[in-house]
Amino acid sequence: MKIDEIIKKSIEIPGISIKRGEFSAELILKERDGKGSMTFFPLFPGVTLAYIFVNSPAWTAPDFHDNGSMETGPLLLNYCVTGRCELILNNGNFVYVKDGEISLTERFARQQYVYPRRIYEGIEFFVDMDTVNAQSSWVEAEFDIDFLRDLYCPDGGTYIASVTTEIEEVLKKLWSLLNISVPLAIPQMKIYTLALFSLLQNLKEIPPSQSCTFFTETQVDIAKRVEKIITSDLRQHHPAWELAAQFSVSETSLKNYFRGVYGQNISIYLREIRMQRAAELLTTTNLSVSEIAEQVGYLNQSKFSSAFKKQFNASPLEFKRRKNLERNTSN
């Protein structure tokens, strides 16, 4: 499947637009729940590199079922720089890619790309095997992309693992190319991409895939419903045992499901959400610190201030003064 087909289908989705440049095409997400961008750089016929920035819980995926297409597509090689993204295995179970991990798969998202932490930054390669074989035969001959796919994704499987030191070094160099001008970056993107393929193909020992640590659709659904409950009104407190009873599972199981999907314990995740909301209220309203503390579930202002300082390395009032100063300076 060609990248142009994916882009064409993507811009048919409400909330997604495109900005074309001389060397790239940028998909822009702008919805009520968040925003994001995916910038595509065609490097070789059949090989496209994308830089992904998302501040949203999800990004609607293009639908290819209306023309009889399968759920599989190009070989997708993803590197997570920051955040967490959701993948679906062949058996319908869910796995999660986190900071410093790569994934290789040929499976598209069912309906949407999901980012449980709402923040995601990463690199993704789209490799259209048919086009590579037909138009980039030298790439196929030198780097044997078919072998690479069979090595990491046998029988259409999904591979997830932390990167080796050598591979991480190449990926970080690719990531750093965002800081230089596009015409100068393209040749280096090509060089590092081929270096990455070579390293993946010639690893003496491939790290075992972590896709064996998976969660069922029911378990993921419970975790996401719990997240919605605890964040819908931050003034409320929901003990884990109470939530577990609501979903007829043990407290330990509930905590494991949540940690598996969101990568954090419930208490830590909720504290960060509360602090983020408090920071927003400090900079967008005239509410007092005590009023904001109550809004995010703290009856004790001292405990709130302590938690806030731990999160932002500044007291609530210091944080507000700093943000006001930054705003006035920029104006």
Side-chain angles (χ1 to χ4, degrees):
M1 182 180 296
K2 293 178 173 57
I3 192 67
D4 288 344
E5 297 177 51
I6 297 173
I7 292 175
K8 183 180 178 181
K9 276 286 187 180
S10 295
I11 59 178
E12 294 175 359
I13 300 169
I16 298 178
S17 60
I18 189 169
K19 179 181 179 182
R20 294 192 181 274
E22 184 179 357
F23 302 97
S24 64
E26 181 184 11
L27 291 179
I28 301 169
L29 171 71
K30 190 173 183 181
E31 294 181 330
R32 183 183 63 180
D33 291 338
K35 58 185 179 179
S37 69
M38 295 186 187
T39 307
F40 298 86
F41 294 91
L43 302 182
F44 310 102
V47 180
T48 300
L49 169 63
Y51 291 87
I52 302 171
F53 296 87
V54 178
N55 184 359
S56 174
W59 184 310
T60 303
D63 182 10
F64 293 99
H65 293 85
D66 57 357
N67 60 8
S69 297
M70 302 292 288
E71 289 186 351
T72 57
L75 177 65
L76 304 173
L77 195 168
N78 177 55
Y79 173 58
C80 175
V81 175
T82 302
R84 198 172 182 84
C85 65
E86 180 180 280
L87 297 178
I88 303 178
L89 303 176
N90 292 348
N91 59 10
N93 291 326
F94 294 75
V95 291
Y96 295 87
V97 184
K98 61 180 183 295
D99 302 16
E101 290 184 342
I102 61 169
S103 66
L104 287 92
T105 184
E106 292 183 287
R107 291 186 63 82
F108 274 122
R110 286 179 181 171
Q111 296 178 319
Q112 57 186 2
Y113 305 98
V114 175
Y115 308 100
R117 301 280 289 276
R118 296 180 173 84
I119 296 292
Y120 183 82
E121 296 180 350
I123 293 172
E124 188 158 28
F125 292 91
F126 295 75
V127 183
D128 174 17
M129 308 301 296
D130 292 337
T131 303
V132 170
N133 291 331
Q135 300 180 38
S136 297
S137 55
W138 69 272
V139 173
E140 175 59 32
E142 292 294 330
F143 301 96
D144 200 348
I145 306 299
D146 278 316
F147 172 73
L148 187 65
R149 174 182 59 183
D150 295 339
L151 191 62
Y152 289 90
C153 307
D155 303 317
T158 295
Y159 177 85
I160 299 173
S162 297
V163 295
T164 64
T165 302
E166 297 84 358
I167 291 175
E168 182 181 33
E169 184 178 342
V170 172
L171 288 166
K172 284 185 174 180
K173 286 178 179 177
L174 272 167
W175 185 252
S176 70
L177 293 178
L178 283 171
N179 298 322
I180 67 177
S181 64
V182 172
L184 295 175
I186 296 294
Q188 295 184 60
M189 287 179 184
K190 293 180 178 181
I191 291 170
Y192 290 135
T193 295
L194 295 179
L196 175 63
F197 289 169
S198 179
L199 284 170
L200 288 169
Q201 181 177 303
N202 294 291
L203 279 180
K204 292 182 179 179
E205 186 174 340
I206 298 176
S209 175
Q210 297 174 18
S211 61
C212 57
T213 305
F214 60 82
F215 296 87
T216 67
E217 187 170 1
T218 298
Q219 292 167 343
V220 170
D221 180 62
I222 289 174
K224 290 180 179 179
R225 289 169 67 184
V226 165
E227 196 273 346
K228 188 173 182 179
I229 290 171
I230 64 176
T231 60
S232 60
D233 185 350
L234 295 176
R235 293 170 296 182
Q236 300 299 316
H237 292 264
H238 302 275
W241 63 264
E242 179 185 283
L243 294 166
Q246 183 173 337
F247 293 100
S248 302
V249 297
S250 71
E251 185 175 337
T252 299
S253 294
L254 180 87
K255 290 178 177 179
N256 287 338
Y257 301 163
F258 193 93
R259 190 184 304 111
V261 173
Y262 293 96
Q264 289 180 321
N265 294 334
I266 295 175
S267 58
I268 295 174
Y269 179 88
L270 185 56
R271 185 183 67 213
E272 290 189 359
I273 293 293
R274 283 180 163 138
M275 293 304 103
Q276 290 166 9
R277 177 58 179 160
E280 180 185 346
L281 290 172
L282 280 166
T283 55
T284 60
T285 73
N286 291 318
L287 294 174
S288 67
V289 172
S290 61
E291 289 172 323
I292 290 174
E294 185 180 356
Q295 285 279 324
V296 298
Y298 283 82
L299 297 179
N300 186 306
Q301 184 177 330
S302 178
K303 287 184 177 180
F304 165 72
S305 296
S306 177
F308 190 92
K309 187 167 186 177
K310 185 176 180 181
Q311 181 78 16
F312 294 102
N313 199 30
S315 70
L317 288 178
E318 289 170 342
F319 181 88
K320 183 170 186 174
R321 282 196 292 267
R322 188 172 66 199
K323 291 298 180 180
N324 286 338
L325 181 61
E326 291 174 358
R327 189 183 303 113
N328 293 333
T329 302
S330 63
N331 292 336

